[in-house]
Structures are given as C-alpha cells and as structure tokens.
Amino acid sequence: MALLSADFPAHAGAYLFLPGGRREEGESPLECARRELREEAGVSAEHWTPLGSHAITLKSLARVHLFEARHLTLGAQELKPQPNRTSS
C-alpha cells in the first residue's frame, strides 16, 4: 500500500493519505489511478487489479475507485503546482 505523508496546516499537523485525485476529462478510473500514483508518489506499476468502488457518502454521486498495484518501480514525483485556494 502506498501511503503518503504531508503537512495540513488547516488540520494542525501531518497526516497519512492514499494517493488519489480527480479524473481528467476522458480519463478512465484506471488511467487516473496510474497518473495519480506516478504524480504523487513517483511510483509506476506493471500490474493493476480493480478492487471495486464506493460512494463517498450515501447521497453522493462521486465514486472512489480502488486498485491494487503490483510490480512497482520507484521514480521521481511529478507534482503539478496547485492554484492557491482560499476558504470562505
């Protein structure tokens, strides 16, 4: 399992989290998982197995897709700069 750690000042500390993110237009859940793992963790995988998907909450249409990645190759993270977000 790839667990990442980062500081989240709004939540007063460092937290562990799974790599993931939103799908880009025209991207399948598997393509998104491959891209996010490479971008956030610098990891590529040869074999991928879908583990299923679930809704974030009962009323949400958003789905979280989970995959098992095997035969990993480590590389450099490919993080993209994020726009500054302000809370209202």
Side-chain angles (χ1 to χ4, degrees):
M1 177 184 309
L3 282 176
L4 306 175
S5 175
D7 285 324
F8 290 89
H11 298 286
Y15 287 83
L16 297 175
F17 61 97
L18 296 170
R22 296 179 187 262
R23 283 193 287 166
E24 294 178 354
E25 189 173 333
E27 191 175 51
S28 72
L30 177 56
E31 291 166 332
C32 179
R34 287 180 177 177
R35 177 180 52 76
E36 290 290 348
L37 185 61
R38 186 180 62 253
E39 287 177 359
E40 295 184 10
V43 174
S44 297
E46 236 180 271
H47 298 285
W48 291 81
T49 304
L51 299 176
S53 63
H54 66 88
I56 296 172
T57 65
L58 292 176
K59 295 182 180 183
S60 175
L61 298 178
R63 306 291 295 176
V64 173
H65 300 273
L66 300 172
F67 293 89
E68 176 186 35
R70 291 184 172 259
H71 303 281
L72 307 178
T73 301
L74 299 179
Q77 287 179 308
E78 299 176 14
L79 296 174
K80 298 176 185 173
Q82 295 293 313
N84 289 335
R85 295 184 184 168
T86 58
S87 55
S88 334

